[in-house]
PDB file of all heavy atoms in Angstrom:
ATOM      1  N   TYR A 283       4.252  -7.767  34.134  1.00 96.00           N
ATOM      2  CA  TYR A 283       3.933  -9.190  34.168  1.00 96.00           C
ATOM      3  C   TYR A 283       4.916  -9.962  35.038  1.00 96.00           C
ATOM      4  O   TYR A 283       4.515 -10.833  35.841  1.00 96.00           O
ATOM      5  CB  TYR A 283       3.942  -9.728  32.733  1.00 96.00           C
ATOM      6  CG  TYR A 283       3.756 -11.214  32.595  1.00 96.00           C
ATOM      7  CD1 TYR A 283       2.707 -11.885  33.225  1.00 96.00           C
ATOM      8  CD2 TYR A 283       4.616 -11.959  31.788  1.00 96.00           C
ATOM      9  CE1 TYR A 283       2.533 -13.255  33.072  1.00 96.00           C
ATOM     10  CE2 TYR A 283       4.445 -13.325  31.627  1.00 96.00           C
ATOM     11  CZ  TYR A 283       3.413 -13.967  32.272  1.00 96.00           C
ATOM     12  OH  TYR A 283       3.247 -15.318  32.123  1.00 96.00           O
ATOM     13  N   ILE A 327       9.192 -12.181  29.142  1.00 98.00           N
ATOM     14  CA  ILE A 327       7.885 -12.842  29.011  1.00 98.00           C
ATOM     15  C   ILE A 327       8.056 -14.354  28.922  1.00 98.00           C
ATOM     16  O   ILE A 327       7.327 -15.114  29.575  1.00 98.00           O
ATOM     17  CB  ILE A 327       7.143 -12.300  27.778  1.00 98.00           C
ATOM     18  CG1 ILE A 327       6.814 -10.815  27.974  1.00 98.00           C
ATOM     19  CG2 ILE A 327       5.861 -13.092  27.536  1.00 98.00           C
ATOM     20  CD1 ILE A 327       6.267 -10.138  26.727  1.00 98.00           C
ATOM     21  N   PHE A 328       9.024 -14.818  28.122  1.00 98.00           N
ATOM     22  CA  PHE A 328       9.209 -16.260  27.956  1.00 98.00           C
ATOM     23  C   PHE A 328       9.621 -16.911  29.274  1.00 98.00           C
ATOM     24  O   PHE A 328       9.141 -18.004  29.621  1.00 98.00           O
ATOM     25  CB  PHE A 328      10.261 -16.530  26.872  1.00 98.00           C
ATOM     26  CG  PHE A 328      10.475 -17.995  26.602  1.00 98.00           C
ATOM     27  CD1 PHE A 328       9.598 -18.702  25.810  1.00 98.00           C
ATOM     28  CD2 PHE A 328      11.553 -18.665  27.158  1.00 98.00           C
ATOM     29  CE1 PHE A 328       9.787 -20.053  25.559  1.00 98.00           C
ATOM     30  CE2 PHE A 328      11.757 -20.018  26.927  1.00 98.00           C
ATOM     31  CZ  PHE A 328      10.865 -20.716  26.121  1.00 98.00           C
ATOM     32  N   ALA A 329      10.515 -16.259  30.009  1.00 97.00           N
ATOM     33  CA  ALA A 329      10.963 -16.826  31.283  1.00 97.00           C
ATOM     34  C   ALA A 329       9.796 -16.989  32.252  1.00 97.00           C
ATOM     35  O   ALA A 329       9.658 -18.023  32.920  1.00 97.00           O
ATOM     36  CB  ALA A 329      12.049 -15.937  31.886  1.00 97.00           C
ATOM     37  N   LYS A 330       8.941 -15.970  32.332  1.00 97.00           N
ATOM     38  CA  LYS A 330       7.789 -16.050  33.235  1.00 97.00           C
ATOM     39  C   LYS A 330       6.796 -17.106  32.760  1.00 97.00           C
ATOM     40  O   LYS A 330       6.246 -17.876  33.566  1.00 97.00           O
ATOM     41  CB  LYS A 330       7.107 -14.682  33.296  1.00 97.00           C
ATOM     42  CG  LYS A 330       5.882 -14.615  34.196  1.00 97.00           C
ATOM     43  CD  LYS A 330       6.256 -14.537  35.653  1.00 97.00           C
ATOM     44  CE  LYS A 330       5.054 -14.236  36.521  1.00 97.00           C
ATOM     45  NZ  LYS A 330       5.390 -14.137  37.950  1.00 97.00           N
ATOM     46  N   ALA A 331       6.556 -17.172  31.441  1.00 97.00           N
ATOM     47  CA  ALA A 331       5.604 -18.144  30.916  1.00 97.00           C
ATOM     48  C   ALA A 331       6.083 -19.574  31.154  1.00 97.00           C
ATOM     49  O   ALA A 331       5.295 -20.455  31.519  1.00 97.00           O
ATOM     50  CB  ALA A 331       5.373 -17.899  29.426  1.00 97.00           C
ATOM     51  N   MET A 332       7.365 -19.824  30.938  1.00 97.00           N
ATOM     52  CA  MET A 332       7.889 -21.170  31.146  1.00 97.00           C
ATOM     53  C   MET A 332       7.923 -21.545  32.620  1.00 97.00           C
ATOM     54  O   MET A 332       7.848 -22.727  32.977  1.00 97.00           O
ATOM     55  CB  MET A 332       9.284 -21.289  30.541  1.00 97.00           C
ATOM     56  CG  MET A 332       9.296 -21.266  29.035  1.00 97.00           C
ATOM     57  SD  MET A 332       8.293 -22.592  28.299  1.00 97.00           S
ATOM     58  CE  MET A 332       9.327 -24.017  28.667  1.00 97.00           C
ATOM     59  N   LYS A 333       8.009 -20.558  33.482  1.00 96.00           N
ATOM     60  CA  LYS A 333       7.924 -20.824  34.917  1.00 96.00           C
ATOM     61  C   LYS A 333       6.513 -21.259  35.300  1.00 96.00           C
ATOM     62  O   LYS A 333       6.318 -22.081  36.214  1.00 96.00           O
ATOM     63  CB  LYS A 333       8.329 -19.568  35.694  1.00 96.00           C
ATOM     64  CG  LYS A 333       8.398 -19.763  37.198  1.00 96.00           C
ATOM     65  CD  LYS A 333       8.849 -18.486  37.893  1.00 96.00           C
ATOM     66  CE  LYS A 333       8.906 -18.662  39.412  1.00 96.00           C
ATOM     67  NZ  LYS A 333       9.329 -17.412  40.098  1.00 96.00           N
ATOM     68  N   MET A 334       5.519 -20.734  34.583  1.00 96.00           N
ATOM     69  CA  MET A 334       4.131 -21.088  34.853  1.00 96.00           C
ATOM     70  C   MET A 334       3.726 -22.387  34.163  1.00 96.00           C
ATOM     71  O   MET A 334       2.801 -23.077  34.609  1.00 96.00           O
ATOM     72  CB  MET A 334       3.200 -19.953  34.385  1.00 96.00           C
ATOM     73  CG  MET A 334       3.382 -18.640  35.127  1.00 96.00           C
ATOM     74  SD  MET A 334       2.491 -17.257  34.339  1.00 96.00           S
ATOM     75  CE  MET A 334       0.804 -17.837  34.397  1.00 96.00           C
ATOM     76  N   ALA A 335       4.385 -22.728  33.055  1.00 95.00           N
ATOM     77  CA  ALA A 335       3.943 -23.832  32.203  1.00 95.00           C
ATOM     78  C   ALA A 335       3.830 -25.180  32.916  1.00 95.00           C
ATOM     79  O   ALA A 335       2.885 -25.930  32.642  1.00 95.00           O
ATOM     80  CB  ALA A 335       4.866 -23.944  30.991  1.00 95.00           C
ATOM     81  N   PRO A 336       4.751 -25.563  33.812  1.00 94.00           N
ATOM     82  CA  PRO A 336       4.628 -26.891  34.425  1.00 94.00           C
ATOM     83  C   PRO A 336       3.437 -27.046  35.366  1.00 94.00           C
ATOM     84  O   PRO A 336       3.067 -28.171  35.704  1.00 94.00           O
ATOM     85  CB  PRO A 336       5.955 -27.044  35.201  1.00 94.00           C
ATOM     86  CG  PRO A 336       6.888 -26.052  34.600  1.00 94.00           C
ATOM     87  CD  PRO A 336       6.021 -24.916  34.178  1.00 94.00           C
ATOM     88  N   LYS A 337       2.844 -25.943  35.793  1.00 94.00           N
ATOM     89  CA  LYS A 337       1.743 -26.000  36.757  1.00 94.00           C
ATOM     90  C   LYS A 337       0.418 -26.125  36.020  1.00 94.00           C
ATOM     91  O   LYS A 337       0.115 -25.350  35.119  1.00 94.00           O
ATOM     92  CB  LYS A 337       1.759 -24.753  37.638  1.00 94.00           C
ATOM     93  CG  LYS A 337       3.066 -24.597  38.417  1.00 94.00           C
ATOM     94  CD  LYS A 337       3.088 -23.321  39.223  1.00 94.00           C
ATOM     95  CE  LYS A 337       4.422 -23.162  39.968  1.00 94.00           C
ATOM     96  NZ  LYS A 337       4.490 -21.895  40.735  1.00 94.00           N
ATOM     97  N   VAL A 338      -0.378 -27.090  36.437  1.00 94.00           N
ATOM     98  CA  VAL A 338      -1.625 -27.408  35.735  1.00 94.00           C
ATOM     99  C   VAL A 338      -2.544 -26.196  35.639  1.00 94.00           C
ATOM    100  O   VAL A 338      -3.177 -25.959  34.604  1.00 94.00           O
ATOM    101  CB  VAL A 338      -2.339 -28.584  36.435  1.00 94.00           C
ATOM    102  CG1 VAL A 338      -3.704 -28.830  35.820  1.00 94.00           C
ATOM    103  CG2 VAL A 338      -1.482 -29.841  36.361  1.00 94.00           C
ATOM    104  N   ARG A 339      -2.621 -25.421  36.689  1.00 95.00           N
ATOM    105  CA  ARG A 339      -3.569 -24.306  36.700  1.00 95.00           C
ATOM    106  C   ARG A 339      -3.180 -23.192  35.733  1.00 95.00           C
ATOM    107  O   ARG A 339      -3.987 -22.298  35.446  1.00 95.00           O
ATOM    108  CB  ARG A 339      -3.703 -23.746  38.116  1.00 95.00           C
ATOM    109  CG  ARG A 339      -2.437 -23.130  38.687  1.00 95.00           C
ATOM    110  CD  ARG A 339      -2.680 -22.631  40.102  1.00 95.00           C
ATOM    111  NE  ARG A 339      -1.503 -22.033  40.713  1.00 95.00           N
ATOM    112  CZ  ARG A 339      -0.557 -22.690  41.346  1.00 95.00           C
ATOM    113  NH1 ARG A 339      -0.661 -24.016  41.471  1.00 95.00           N
ATOM    114  NH2 ARG A 339       0.489 -22.066  41.874  1.00 95.00           N
ATOM    115  N   HIS A 340      -1.941 -23.219  35.227  1.00 96.00           N
ATOM    116  CA  HIS A 340      -1.490 -22.163  34.312  1.00 96.00           C
ATOM    117  C   HIS A 340      -1.358 -22.617  32.869  1.00 96.00           C
ATOM    118  O   HIS A 340      -1.083 -21.787  31.994  1.00 96.00           O
ATOM    119  CB  HIS A 340      -0.123 -21.635  34.762  1.00 96.00           C
ATOM    120  CG  HIS A 340      -0.106 -21.015  36.117  1.00 96.00           C
ATOM    121  ND1 HIS A 340      -1.093 -20.170  36.569  1.00 96.00           N
ATOM    122  CD2 HIS A 340       0.801 -21.108  37.130  1.00 96.00           C
ATOM    123  CE1 HIS A 340      -0.799 -19.769  37.805  1.00 96.00           C
ATOM    124  NE2 HIS A 340       0.337 -20.330  38.167  1.00 96.00           N
ATOM    125  N   VAL A 341      -1.535 -23.899  32.590  1.00 96.00           N
ATOM    126  CA  VAL A 341      -1.209 -24.427  31.260  1.00 96.00           C
ATOM    127  C   VAL A 341      -1.964 -23.697  30.155  1.00 96.00           C
ATOM    128  O   VAL A 341      -1.394 -23.342  29.114  1.00 96.00           O
ATOM    129  CB  VAL A 341      -1.514 -25.938  31.201  1.00 96.00           C
ATOM    130  CG1 VAL A 341      -1.488 -26.440  29.763  1.00 96.00           C
ATOM    131  CG2 VAL A 341      -0.505 -26.701  32.030  1.00 96.00           C
ATOM    132  N   HIS A 342      -3.248 -23.435  30.354  1.00 94.00           N
ATOM    133  CA  HIS A 342      -4.072 -22.891  29.271  1.00 94.00           C
ATOM    134  C   HIS A 342      -3.686 -21.472  28.886  1.00 94.00           C
ATOM    135  O   HIS A 342      -4.075 -20.991  27.806  1.00 94.00           O
ATOM    136  CB  HIS A 342      -5.552 -22.946  29.656  1.00 94.00           C
ATOM    137  CG  HIS A 342      -5.926 -22.050  30.798  1.00 94.00           C
ATOM    138  ND1 HIS A 342      -5.607 -22.346  32.111  1.00 94.00           N
ATOM    139  CD2 HIS A 342      -6.590 -20.863  30.831  1.00 94.00           C
ATOM    140  CE1 HIS A 342      -6.062 -21.379  32.889  1.00 94.00           C
ATOM    141  NE2 HIS A 342      -6.653 -20.477  32.144  1.00 94.00           N
ATOM    142  N   VAL A 343      -2.935 -20.763  29.728  1.00 96.00           N
ATOM    143  CA  VAL A 343      -2.467 -19.428  29.351  1.00 96.00           C
ATOM    144  C   VAL A 343      -0.960 -19.406  29.096  1.00 96.00           C
ATOM    145  O   VAL A 343      -0.474 -18.572  28.309  1.00 96.00           O
ATOM    146  CB  VAL A 343      -2.825 -18.384  30.439  1.00 96.00           C
ATOM    147  CG1 VAL A 343      -4.329 -18.219  30.548  1.00 96.00           C
ATOM    148  CG2 VAL A 343      -2.211 -18.729  31.782  1.00 96.00           C
ATOM    149  N   ALA A 344      -0.210 -20.307  29.737  1.00 97.00           N
ATOM    150  CA  ALA A 344       1.247 -20.296  29.605  1.00 97.00           C
ATOM    151  C   ALA A 344       1.703 -20.831  28.253  1.00 97.00           C
ATOM    152  O   ALA A 344       2.617 -20.284  27.632  1.00 97.00           O
ATOM    153  CB  ALA A 344       1.881 -21.101  30.736  1.00 97.00           C
ATOM    154  N   PHE A 345       1.089 -21.907  27.769  1.00 97.00           N
ATOM    155  CA  PHE A 345       1.497 -22.486  26.483  1.00 97.00           C
ATOM    156  C   PHE A 345       1.330 -21.506  25.323  1.00 97.00           C
ATOM    157  O   PHE A 345       2.257 -21.310  24.532  1.00 97.00           O
ATOM    158  CB  PHE A 345       0.711 -23.770  26.216  1.00 97.00           C
ATOM    159  CG  PHE A 345       1.249 -24.982  26.939  1.00 97.00           C
ATOM    160  CD1 PHE A 345       2.198 -24.851  27.943  1.00 97.00           C
ATOM    161  CD2 PHE A 345       0.804 -26.251  26.621  1.00 97.00           C
ATOM    162  CE1 PHE A 345       2.691 -25.967  28.625  1.00 97.00           C
ATOM    163  CE2 PHE A 345       1.290 -27.377  27.284  1.00 97.00           C
ATOM    164  CZ  PHE A 345       2.229 -27.225  28.294  1.00 97.00           C
ATOM    165  N   PRO A 346       0.157 -20.868  25.173  1.00 95.00           N
ATOM    166  CA  PRO A 346       0.012 -19.911  24.060  1.00 95.00           C
ATOM    167  C   PRO A 346       0.999 -18.759  24.152  1.00 95.00           C
ATOM    168  O   PRO A 346       1.533 -18.313  23.131  1.00 95.00           O
ATOM    169  CB  PRO A 346      -1.431 -19.423  24.197  1.00 95.00           C
ATOM    170  CG  PRO A 346      -2.130 -20.480  24.971  1.00 95.00           C
ATOM    171  CD  PRO A 346      -1.113 -21.037  25.911  1.00 95.00           C
ATOM    172  N   LEU A 347       1.243 -18.256  25.369  1.00 97.00           N
ATOM    173  CA  LEU A 347       2.146 -17.112  25.516  1.00 97.00           C
ATOM    174  C   LEU A 347       3.580 -17.490  25.189  1.00 97.00           C
ATOM    175  O   LEU A 347       4.280 -16.769  24.472  1.00 97.00           O
ATOM    176  CB  LEU A 347       2.054 -16.558  26.943  1.00 97.00           C
ATOM    177  CG  LEU A 347       2.957 -15.360  27.253  1.00 97.00           C
ATOM    178  CD1 LEU A 347       2.702 -14.217  26.269  1.00 97.00           C
ATOM    179  CD2 LEU A 347       2.740 -14.886  28.687  1.00 97.00           C
ATOM    180  N   ALA A 348       4.038 -18.634  25.692  1.00 97.00           N
ATOM    181  CA  ALA A 348       5.405 -19.071  25.401  1.00 97.00           C
ATOM    182  C   ALA A 348       5.587 -19.295  23.899  1.00 97.00           C
ATOM    183  O   ALA A 348       6.616 -18.916  23.318  1.00 97.00           O
ATOM    184  CB  ALA A 348       5.729 -20.341  26.183  1.00 97.00           C
ATOM    185  N   ALA A 349       4.598 -19.901  23.257  1.00 97.00           N
ATOM    186  CA  ALA A 349       4.692 -20.135  21.815  1.00 97.00           C
ATOM    187  C   ALA A 349       4.713 -18.815  21.043  1.00 97.00           C
ATOM    188  O   ALA A 349       5.454 -18.671  20.061  1.00 97.00           O
ATOM    189  CB  ALA A 349       3.523 -21.002  21.355  1.00 97.00           C
ATOM    190  N   SER A 366      12.065 -27.583  24.160  1.00 96.00           N
ATOM    191  CA  SER A 366      11.616 -27.762  25.549  1.00 96.00           C
ATOM    192  C   SER A 366      10.117 -27.509  25.665  1.00 96.00           C
ATOM    193  O   SER A 366       9.406 -28.253  26.347  1.00 96.00           O
ATOM    194  CB  SER A 366      12.386 -26.834  26.482  1.00 96.00           C
ATOM    195  OG  SER A 366      12.198 -25.475  26.126  1.00 96.00           O
ATOM    196  N   LEU A 367       9.624 -26.471  24.999  1.00 97.00           N
ATOM    197  CA  LEU A 367       8.181 -26.212  25.018  1.00 97.00           C
ATOM    198  C   LEU A 367       7.433 -27.295  24.251  1.00 97.00           C
ATOM    199  O   LEU A 367       6.332 -27.702  24.650  1.00 97.00           O
ATOM    200  CB  LEU A 367       7.887 -24.832  24.423  1.00 97.00           C
ATOM    201  CG  LEU A 367       6.411 -24.427  24.371  1.00 97.00           C
ATOM    202  CD1 LEU A 367       5.784 -24.453  25.754  1.00 97.00           C
ATOM    203  CD2 LEU A 367       6.260 -23.033  23.746  1.00 97.00           C
ATOM    204  N   TYR A 370       6.821 -30.208  26.552  1.00 95.00           N
ATOM    205  CA  TYR A 370       5.719 -29.909  27.471  1.00 95.00           C
ATOM    206  C   TYR A 370       4.368 -30.130  26.772  1.00 95.00           C
ATOM    207  O   TYR A 370       3.447 -30.733  27.327  1.00 95.00           O
ATOM    208  CB  TYR A 370       5.799 -28.452  27.949  1.00 95.00           C
ATOM    209  CG  TYR A 370       6.680 -28.221  29.149  1.00 95.00           C
ATOM    210  CD1 TYR A 370       7.552 -27.139  29.193  1.00 95.00           C
ATOM    211  CD2 TYR A 370       6.622 -29.065  30.263  1.00 95.00           C
ATOM    212  CE1 TYR A 370       8.359 -26.910  30.293  1.00 95.00           C
ATOM    213  CE2 TYR A 370       7.425 -28.837  31.367  1.00 95.00           C
ATOM    214  CZ  TYR A 370       8.292 -27.764  31.378  1.00 95.00           C
ATOM    215  OH  TYR A 370       9.088 -27.537  32.468  1.00 95.00           O
ATOM    216  N   CYS A 371       4.261 -29.609  25.547  1.00 96.00           N
ATOM    217  CA  CYS A 371       2.990 -29.695  24.822  1.00 96.00           C
ATOM    218  C   CYS A 371       2.639 -31.149  24.496  1.00 96.00           C
ATOM    219  O   CYS A 371       1.476 -31.557  24.607  1.00 96.00           O
ATOM    220  CB  CYS A 371       3.064 -28.865  23.544  1.00 96.00           C
ATOM    221  SG  CYS A 371       3.213 -27.082  23.811  1.00 96.00           S
ATOM    222  N   GLN A 373       3.514 -33.804  26.128  1.00 94.00           N
ATOM    223  CA  GLN A 373       3.092 -34.461  27.366  1.00 94.00           C
ATOM    224  C   GLN A 373       1.644 -34.115  27.700  1.00 94.00           C
ATOM    225  O   GLN A 373       0.883 -34.971  28.146  1.00 94.00           O
ATOM    226  CB  GLN A 373       4.006 -34.052  28.512  1.00 94.00           C
ATOM    227  CG  GLN A 373       5.439 -34.572  28.391  1.00 94.00           C
ATOM    228  CD  GLN A 373       6.345 -33.996  29.463  1.00 94.00           C
ATOM    229  OE1 GLN A 373       5.879 -33.352  30.414  1.00 94.00           O
ATOM    230  NE2 GLN A 373       7.647 -34.214  29.325  1.00 94.00           N
ATOM    231  N   ARG A 374       1.259 -32.853  27.468  1.00 94.00           N
ATOM    232  CA  ARG A 374      -0.094 -32.422  27.832  1.00 94.00           C
ATOM    233  C   ARG A 374      -1.145 -32.894  26.839  1.00 94.00           C
ATOM    234  O   ARG A 374      -2.346 -32.744  27.095  1.00 94.00           O
ATOM    235  CB  ARG A 374      -0.138 -30.895  27.966  1.00 94.00           C
ATOM    236  CG  ARG A 374       0.612 -30.364  29.171  1.00 94.00           C
ATOM    237  CD  ARG A 374       0.021 -30.891  30.454  1.00 94.00           C
ATOM    238  NE  ARG A 374       0.738 -30.398  31.633  1.00 94.00           N
ATOM    239  CZ  ARG A 374       0.475 -30.765  32.871  1.00 94.00           C
ATOM    240  NH1 ARG A 374      -0.518 -31.643  33.099  1.00 94.00           N
ATOM    241  NH2 ARG A 374       1.160 -30.295  33.892  1.00 94.00           N
ATOM    242  N   PHE A 380      -6.297 -30.190  28.088  1.00 93.00           N
ATOM    243  CA  PHE A 380      -5.221 -29.362  27.545  1.00 93.00           C
ATOM    244  C   PHE A 380      -4.833 -29.745  26.118  1.00 93.00           C
ATOM    245  O   PHE A 380      -3.853 -29.222  25.588  1.00 93.00           O
ATOM    246  CB  PHE A 380      -3.985 -29.449  28.441  1.00 93.00           C
ATOM    247  CG  PHE A 380      -4.206 -28.968  29.839  1.00 93.00           C
ATOM    248  CD1 PHE A 380      -3.837 -29.743  30.929  1.00 93.00           C
ATOM    249  CD2 PHE A 380      -4.805 -27.745  30.076  1.00 93.00           C
ATOM    250  CE1 PHE A 380      -4.055 -29.305  32.224  1.00 93.00           C
ATOM    251  CE2 PHE A 380      -5.026 -27.288  31.364  1.00 93.00           C
ATOM    252  CZ  PHE A 380      -4.650 -28.076  32.437  1.00 93.00           C
TER     253      PHE A 380
END
Side-chain angles (χ1 to χ4, degrees):
Y283 175 51
I327 295 171
F328 182 80
K330 180 77 170 181
M332 290 302 288
K333 185 178 179 181
M334 296 169 60
K337 301 177 182 178
V338 174
R339 64 181 180 275
H340 298 318
V341 167
H342 66 285
V343 295
F345 280 12
L347 179 56
S366 60
L367 180 58
Y370 274 136
C371 294
Q373 292 173 10
R374 290 299 180 184
F380 299 129

